[in-house]
Amino acid sequence: MSTTADRADENTSQLDLAIAELAAGSVRWRVTPLAARGALLARTATSVSDEAERWVAAVAHAKGLDPSSPLIGEEWLTGPYAVLTSVYALGRTLRGLASGRSPLAGQRLGRAPGGRVTVSVLPHNAWDGLLLHGFSARTWLRPGVTVQRARVSAGLGQLSPTVTGGVGLVLGAGNISSIAPLDVLYELLAHNRVSILKLNPTFDGLLPIYRAALAPLIAQGLLRIVIGGADVGDYLAHHVGISHVHITGSAATHDAIVFGGSKTPRLGKPISSELGGVSPIIVLPGRWSPKDLRYQAEHVATMRLHNGGYNCIAGQVLVLSAAWPQKHAFLAAVAAALAAAPTRPAWYPGSDERMRAACAAYPAAQPIPGGRLLIAVPNSTASPFTASPSTENMLTTEYFAPVLGVLELPGDDQAYLDAAVRTVNRDFHGTLGVNIIGLPGTIRRLGPGFERAVTRLQYGTIAINAWTGVGFLSAAAPWGAFPGHTLDNVQSGIGVVHNALLLDEVERTVVRGPFRPFPRSVAHAEWALLPKPPWFVSARSGARTARLLTEFAAHPSARRLPRILVAAFHA
């Protein structure tokens, strides 16, 4: 009869073997030509496509979703769709490098305040321009980076393909099913680093799906996938054969790995991370129509309730002008949108405890049908909601639950916007993403003052009349915290992922979208032909549209466009 110690030894032996196999795979990768690397990505796209339906079903089961729910669309978009679009974008970058072209060849470059060089990352191709019409994104490089430097440095590890990054550990996220595969791909292409991927226990049931979908990488010795608890993660992180660690998760887990309860780091190797934070939604006051109020309330509900609220980029605090005459009408619309959103199980571990903590910190919180909370925090003196005396929890704790805070600030127009920027930069935990919602006319009236405010925001992704989730789903857009965090003040993390153009020295990405959906967008002089986006929690045809988009991502063809558009217009 085997003992617990015997089983532990057997498990560590298997982990040791996996790392040894990856070390051999790292050597093979070093001598693999760029063209062959591109062919490997193409095979991976095929296997991901083949597993897409089983993938979505497995994630839905893990999250307790009814297979007929329109919310299944979320799992298509943030699962196989996100991986497929990234694989194809990375393949395009590899093909360009193999033929001697910079990844920036053909990309639109521009300038942002401070002389920063910008790179257009959405639309990334002609299909993006059609399917996401009205949405755009530009990545800003760090101050001082010239156009020439940007061109010669784009490509990262693929500029020196024979320089190996060794064997890395990827600690997978447990909330969005594309994150772990995307992190593995980025490690391989940006750093020439093969990976042992440890799944978060919430996704242990996806192990056979991931192994089948990523089979080409596994067959080449570039990837091994394992399951286990914190003990397995700790063993791997400190293994002598591991050269680097990447984690998507919480700052607490990051600190446990790096410091292990001590004041000085015990992890003797580099670590990169994406750790979430408290994301603000800054609303600019203006004269909104009843339809505007209702649509943007659904937009806010989506930022908070997508994936049940268990997103590192979930909008957590709604920032309003106390002087806005339509403030109460908008809050009523937000409460209605939260209540109307489809219900789902509180599937992520610890959700109930976090909800109880929010209720305890804010005893006057407004309960919303479906197990949601709307909470006012200090400075909301004119709000119909009341709050406890402390804002500490709401602004510094990522609740990872369906909790939406409301923070009112004094002022109007530019004075209010400047106050909002100061507040979120100074008082909110994390720098992953911030959202701004405002009438196009309001933004035009603010003019240079608005652009200066955007420049002062210290966030990795800034979404204007869009959700930062669009940046996450854009394969060419880098994703990560604002640069400058350190191990002992890690905030939202260190480094970036996704980034299919393999850009170096990234500062932020600015996403822009339409204030109104089609056809109201065009009626109000916005050139945007997308109806209600399929990622909205209120999109009735979200599941069908997302599935069709995934099929399109696997096999792009103009013949597939009419079905997608018809489905989208039924949202």
Side-chain angles (χ1 to χ4, degrees), residues 296-314:
Q296 290 300 342
E298 293 178 14
H299 199 180
V300 169
T302 296
M303 295 180 194
R304 177 64 269 184
L305 297 181
H306 183 280
N307 196 34
Y310 311 118
N311 282 339
C312 57
I313 47 168

Side-chain angles (χ1 to χ4, degrees), residues 283-289 293 321 324-327 412-413 437-439 442 445:
V283 178
L284 304 180
R287 296 182 62 183
W288 295 15
S289 73
L293 292 169
S321 165
W324 187 25
Q326 292 181 291
K327 170 186 62 183
D412 199 356
D413 288 338
I437 298 172
L439 281 167
T442 300
R445 188 179 71 252

Side-chain angles (χ1 to χ4, degrees), residues 431-498:
T431 64
L432 188 62
V434 59
N435 311 275
I436 306 174
I437 298 172
L439 281 167
T442 300
I443 292 172
R444 285 194 298 270
R445 188 179 71 252
L446 292 171
F450 179 81
E451 298 305 325
R452 285 194 297 269
V454 170
T455 304
R456 290 196 300 270
L457 282 167
Q458 296 177 353
Y459 285 84
T461 297
I462 301 168
I464 302 166
N465 285 332
W467 177 34
T468 50
V470 178
F472 174 91
L473 281 177
S474 299
W479 179 254
F482 195 78
H485 299 315
T486 60
L487 289 181
D488 55 359
N489 184 26
V490 74
Q491 295 275 325
S492 291
I494 298 171
V496 300
V497 290
H498 304 185

Side-chain angles (χ1 to χ4, degrees), residues 26-369:
S26 179
V27 174
R28 286 194 295 274
W29 181 250
R30 188 179 64 183
V31 297
T32 302
L34 292 181
R37 295 181 181 194
L40 176 64
L41 288 184
R43 296 197 299 274
T44 303
T46 299
S47 58
V48 168
S49 176
D50 290 345
E51 293 297 318
E53 189 159 354
R54 286 207 310 146
W55 181 325
V56 170
V59 182
H61 177 75
K63 297 181 180 183
L65 284 177
D66 184 331
S68 64
S69 169
L71 297 174
I72 294 294
E74 296 179 355
E75 306 313 326
W76 283 99
L77 287 180
T78 63
Y81 171 83
V83 176
L84 284 167
T85 54
S86 184
V87 168
Y88 281 118
L90 286 166
R92 179 181 177 183
T93 293
L94 274 179
R95 289 192 299 274
L97 288 167
S99 62
R101 297 195 312 273
S102 165
L104 295 187
Q107 300 299 129
R108 290 174 56 193
L109 303 184
R111 291 285 180 180
R116 293 169 175 85
V117 172
T118 67
V119 181
S120 175
V121 291
L122 179 70
H124 183 55
N125 53 48
W127 302 123
D128 284 347
L130 290 170
L131 296 171
L132 292 172
H133 195 272
F135 286 85
S136 65
R138 293 193 303 163
T139 292
W140 297 16
L141 304 184
R142 299 189 192 189
V145 176
T146 64
V147 169
Q148 177 62 18
R149 186 162 142 196
R151 290 187 188 279
V152 300
S153 63
L156 297 178
Q158 299 314 295
L159 298 174
S160 304
T162 61
V163 178
T164 177
V167 180
L169 166 64
V170 171
L171 296 170
N175 60 330
I176 294 293
S177 64
S178 63
I179 292 178
L182 291 175
D183 290 349
V184 165
L185 286 166
Y186 193 67
E187 286 288 287
L188 186 62
L189 274 299
H191 305 295
N192 288 318
R193 189 178 296 128
V194 303
S195 295
I196 183 165
L197 165 63
K198 193 198 86 66
L199 300 184
N200 186 294
T202 61
F203 282 167
D204 280 357
L206 272 72
L207 179 63
I209 306 296
Y210 282 144
R211 284 179 171 168
L214 304 175
L217 303 180
I218 294 172
Q220 293 296 312
L222 308 177
L223 173 65
R224 293 292 182 267
I225 310 175
V226 300
I227 59 175
D231 58 330
V232 173
D234 188 72
Y235 178 80
L236 290 171
H238 298 281
H239 195 287
V240 67
I242 296 295
S243 62
H244 180 275
V245 178
H246 178 80
I247 176 175
T248 300
S250 69
T253 302
H254 169 274
D255 290 349
I257 293 169
V258 173
F259 295 100
S262 68
K263 293 184 179 180
T264 57
R266 69 185 185 101
L267 184 70
K269 60 196 69 174
I271 182 170
S272 56
S273 50
E274 193 267 80
L275 306 174
V278 177
S279 292
I281 308 168
I282 300 172
V283 178
L284 304 180
R287 296 182 62 183
W288 295 15
S289 73
K291 288 183 178 180
D292 294 337
L293 292 169
R294 185 165 59 250
Y295 177 77
Q296 290 300 342
E298 293 178 14
H299 199 180
V300 169
T302 296
M303 295 180 194
R304 177 64 269 184
L305 297 181
H306 183 280
N307 196 34
Y310 311 118
N311 282 339
C312 57
I313 47 168
Q316 181 165 300
V317 179
L318 191 59
V319 182
L320 301 176
S321 165
W324 187 25
Q326 292 181 291
K327 170 186 62 183
H328 298 314
F330 185 57
L331 286 173
V334 168
L338 292 172
T343 58
R344 63 179 102 200
W347 65 271
Y348 200 84
S351 177
D352 291 340
E353 290 84 350
R354 291 188 292 276
M355 291 293 284
R356 284 193 290 269
C359 289
Y362 299 94
Q366 177 183 351
I368 302 290

Side-chain angles (χ1 to χ4, degrees), residues 532-557:
K532 181 184 291 185
W535 54 84
F536 267 43
V537 293
S538 55
R540 292 173 295 180
S541 60
R544 176 167 173 75
T545 305
R547 179 175 187 145
L548 290 172
L549 283 169
T550 305
E551 293 172 356
F552 181 89
H555 305 287
S557 168

Side-chain angles (χ1 to χ4, degrees), residues 277-280 304 314-319 354-355 357-359 361-362 365 373-378 387-388 390-407 427-430:
V278 177
S279 292
R304 177 64 269 184
Q316 181 165 300
V317 179
L318 191 59
V319 182
R354 291 188 292 276
M355 291 293 284
C359 289
Y362 299 94
L373 286 176
L374 186 60
I375 297 174
V377 293
S388 67
S390 173
T391 64
E392 180 180 354
N393 286 346
M394 184 57 65
L395 305 189
T396 62
T397 300
E398 183 185 9
Y399 274 108
F400 227 63
V403 176
L404 180 66
V406 179
L407 176 66
D427 299 337
F428 283 48
H429 175 77

